[in-house]
Amino acid sequence: MSRAKHPMVQACMAKCLPEFTHINHYWDKQRKIVVAKILPGEFYMTTGNVAIATTLGSCISACIWDCEVNIGGMNHFMLPATEKEVHEVNWGSRDKITDATRYGNFAMEHLINEILKSGGKRPNLKAKLFGGGKILKKMSNVGQRNIDFVFNYLEQEGIEIDSTDVGDVYPRKVLFVPHNGRAFVKRLDNLHNDTIVERETSYSSEIDPIEGDVELF
């Protein structure tokens, strides 16, 4: 039986919100859970016991959930900004927002609003943050810009940051379970940088892990 036809995947898809039916769902035999795998520019929210996975280079994923009713989701985004645009942003004020910050706001607000529409309460929201790696030595540090944005956004919105694994030079695989707020991160081999950059735009290359899962509490 292919993983796409696993009965648990079929049951999950039957209950999946219409806006997420295009997301690739599969059965994780090791963890015995349905996983929704999101790509750059996507997000996913669930009220059930479904894990969400993605792979990050310089992009950021915010994993946000309501810690009381255990619903939540994950996004995957990057600020499309130049160094000049970012330099001009006054992070302490909403009066001056570039296209880059509007894009980040879009990614964050869509996820948060979907959680609130599904029964979450803003005072109960918590976040875990991943990604923002500087995966190419010669590239501008877009990863740090993404990190700065998401930290400032969550501070302005009053959402508690529960834990983070951001920055450094590594791509990451991330698995998040909104049902219990647990997240797992695996740092990846940074040898094949060209394929990692390609993966961030096409999500089509494979890279090898260099260490095991680390659970963030």
Side-chain angles (χ1 to χ4, degrees), residues 76-87:
H76 181 151
F77 70 93
M78 176 188 291
L79 299 182
T82 66
E83 296 284 355
K84 182 176 183 294
E85 287 172 334
V86 173
H87 180 71

Side-chain angles (χ1 to χ4, degrees), residues 31-87:
R31 294 185 172 88
K32 300 186 184 305
I33 193 171
V34 175
V35 179
K37 188 174 183 180
I38 64 172
L39 304 178
E42 294 182 337
F43 79 104
Y44 187 93
M45 200 288 301
T46 179
T47 60
N49 188 19
V50 178
I52 311 166
T54 198
T55 302
L56 300 160
S58 55
C59 288
I60 284 284
S61 275
C63 303
I64 301 177
W65 81 107
D66 182 312
C67 62
E68 295 294 327
V69 296
N70 297 321
I71 65 174
M74 176 198 287
N75 57 26
H76 181 151
F77 70 93
M78 176 188 291
L79 299 182
T82 66
E83 296 284 355
K84 182 176 183 294
E85 287 172 334
V86 173
H87 180 71

